[in-house]
Amino acid sequence: MSIKSIAAKIFAKKIHKKTLKWASKPVETQQKVFEALIHLAKNTQFGKDHKFDEIKSFQDFAKQVPIRDYEELKPYVDKVVKGEADVLWKGKPLYFAKTSGTTSGAKYIPLTKESMPFHIQAARNAILSYIHETGNAHFVDGKMIFLQGSPILEEKNGIKLGRLSGIVAHFVPSYLQKNRMPSWETNCIEDWETKVDAIVEETINENMSVISGIPSWVQMYFEKLQEKANKPVGELFKNFNLFIYGGVNFEPYRAKFENLIGRKVDSIELFPASEGFFAYQDSQKEKGMLLLLNSGIFYEFIKSEEFFTDNPKRYTIGEVELHVNYVLIISTNAGLWAYNIGDTIQFTSLQPYRVIVSGRIKHYISAFGEHVIGKEVEHALKEAMENTNIRVNEFTVAPQIAPETGLPYHEWFIEFDPEASGEPNNLEEFALTIDAAMRKQNVYYDDLIVGKVLRTLVITKVSKNGFQEYMKSIGKLGGQNKLPRLSNDRKIADQLL
C-alpha cells in the first residue's frame, strides 16, 4: 500500500468522525446554521427588507420570508449582477454560476467566499466516505478524470462567471493536481465532441482509476474509447473501479455502462447544484445520500401535494417523515432565502438523514442535464407556429436516449389538426424552427446541441385522437386530468408508438 493511500485512509477516518458529530445532532446542527445565516445577513438589503433583526425563531422567519423561486428573487439578484454590495449576502459574491433560466433566459446564481468551500469539501468527503467504509484506497494512486465544462470564465461587473463545473475546476486541491485529467488545455475546449476526442487521446494509455461526470457525457467517452481500443473500457483501464456521477438519474444508463465497461464497478452518487451541494452517497450498503446539514444551508421541506395550495406548511428537519415527497427549499450562505430549487426529494433514512432525488415539482426533461421545463416547450411551439397556418391539437415531449442510429434527441409527439389544413408542409423545417426557439431559451440545451451530445429534435406525428385514446387507456380522459407536456422517461412515448 502506498504512502498516499495510507494517508487517504487516515484522513477518511478523521472526516468520518467529524461527519458523525453533526449527523448525530441534526436538529441542533440546523438550528446553529439558521442562527448564523440570519445574524450574518441582517444588515443586507434583503435582511432589512425582511426584518431579520426581529427574527428569533424559524416561525418568525417563515412569517416574514415567503417561498421564492429565481424569478421572484430576480429583482435582488439583478442588483447583485449590476455590482451592488450587501444585497442578498454581505459584500459581493466571488462568482456567478451561470445556469439555465425559464422566462428570464440565463440565471446568475451567486457563489460567495463562505459558500464556495462547501462545494469542494462535499465532493472530497464523498470520496473519503467511500474509502472509510470500503477500505479501498488504491485508486488514489491512479489517474482521475472529471468530465466537466470549460474552466474559462467570463466577467460581469467585476465578478467572474461560468458553469459551476468550470468554476470548481479552479479549486482542485493541489494533492490531486498530479493525478487529475484531462489537461487544462483539453478541458478548455468548448466543442464537446472535439473535447471528448482529445480526452480519449490523452487517457487511453493511462492508468485510469476514477471516472466522474454526468452519465450521458461519460457514456459518449466510453463509446469512443471502446471504438478506438476495440476492447471494453474495464479491460482498457484494469484499475478503474469507481464511477462518480450526479445531475441525472443513472438507472437508465446502468445496463449500457456495464456493457461498455465489461464488468460492474462501484459508484458514488452526488447531489450538487449551482445553488449548493446538498447531499452525497455516504454508504455503498444503504439507499440514499447523506443530507449535508452542516454546510451553510438551512433546509425547509414542503409536501409536494400541498405545494400549490395557499400557505402550505413548511417543515424543518426534525419534522420530516420517511418516503414522503417533499419540495426542497433552501436558505444559504450565498444569499438565497427560502428558495425553491424545483427538486423534490424523499427521505430513505432519518438516522442519519438520507435522501433520494424523486424528481421535479413540475414536469421536466433532464436526461442529459438540460433541465427543460414545460414553459419552454410551450413557448417554443407557439413561436414556431406564429405567422403560419399550422395548428396543433396536442403534444408531449420525451427524450430518446438510445436511438438505433445517430445521436440522442428530444422526440416531440405532435397531433396536428389536418381538418384545418394545420400540418406543416415540411416537417423537418418545422422541427428546426422549434429547435431554434428552444435553444434561445435554454442555454443547457443549446450547449448539448453545439457540443454534439444531442442532435436537433425529431417530430413524430400522432394520429387523430391519438392522445385522447392514450388518456382513455389509462383512465384519465376528461375531468381535471392533463397530459404532461414533457416527461423524463418514455412511458408515454412508448405507449403512443
Side-chain angles (χ1 to χ4, degrees), residues 215-272:
S216 53
W217 294 7
V218 176
Q219 181 176 313
M220 178 186 283
Y221 168 58
F222 283 173
E223 287 171 344
K224 288 179 177 286
L225 277 169
Q226 190 179 63
E227 184 180 344
K228 188 172 181 65
N230 199 29
K231 61 174 71 171
V233 173
E235 194 176 322
L236 185 66
F237 301 143
K238 297 186 185 301
N239 293 316
F240 167 48
N241 281 299
L242 185 59
F243 173 52
I244 304 172
Y245 68 94
V248 298
N249 183 7
F250 181 50
E251 290 311 309
Y253 301 90
R254 191 177 293 277
K256 177 72 172 178
F257 266 58
E258 288 179 4
N259 180 259
L260 287 167
I261 298 167
R263 53 183 164 82
K264 292 184 178 182
V265 300
D266 285 348
S267 61
I268 302 174
E269 183 177 8
L270 310 178
F271 184 12

Side-chain angles (χ1 to χ4, degrees), residues 129-236:
S129 289
Y130 172 82
I131 292 173
H132 179 77
E133 182 186 53
T134 65
N136 174 22
H138 297 294
F139 62 85
V140 301
D141 296 314
K143 298 287 187 178
M144 306 178 185
I145 189 165
F146 301 93
L147 295 176
Q148 57 194 185
S150 171
I152 297 174
L153 304 179
E154 304 171 50
E155 196 167 291
K156 202 170 185 73
N157 296 320
I159 300 172
K160 292 180 179 180
L161 67 94
R163 303 292 182 200
L164 176 65
S165 63
I167 294 170
V168 169
H170 291 262
F171 288 84
V172 175
S174 56
Y175 59 85
L176 286 181
Q177 290 288 5
K178 186 177 179 182
N179 296 58
R180 180 178 177 271
M181 298 192 82
S183 65
W184 186 267
E185 293 74 22
T186 295
N187 218 10
C188 290
I189 297 172
E190 291 288 347
D191 179 76
W192 183 250
E193 197 166 42
T194 305
K195 184 174 186 170
V196 174
D197 286 337
I199 292 172
V200 168
E201 291 297 328
E202 282 190 4
T203 59
I204 196 165
N205 295 314
E206 295 287 348
N207 176 27
M208 304 303 302
S209 58
V210 178
I211 296 173
S212 174
I214 292 175
S216 53
W217 294 7
V218 176
Q219 181 176 313
M220 178 186 283
Y221 168 58
F222 283 173
E223 287 171 344
K224 288 179 177 286
L225 277 169
Q226 190 179 63
E227 184 180 344
K228 188 172 181 65
N230 199 29
K231 61 174 71 171
V233 173
E235 194 176 322
L236 185 66

Side-chain angles (χ1 to χ4, degrees), residues 369-382:
E370 61 271 47
H371 309 299
V372 169
I373 64 169
K375 182 176 281 187
E376 291 170 346
V377 297
E378 289 171 347
H379 180 82
L381 186 60
K382 180 183 176 183

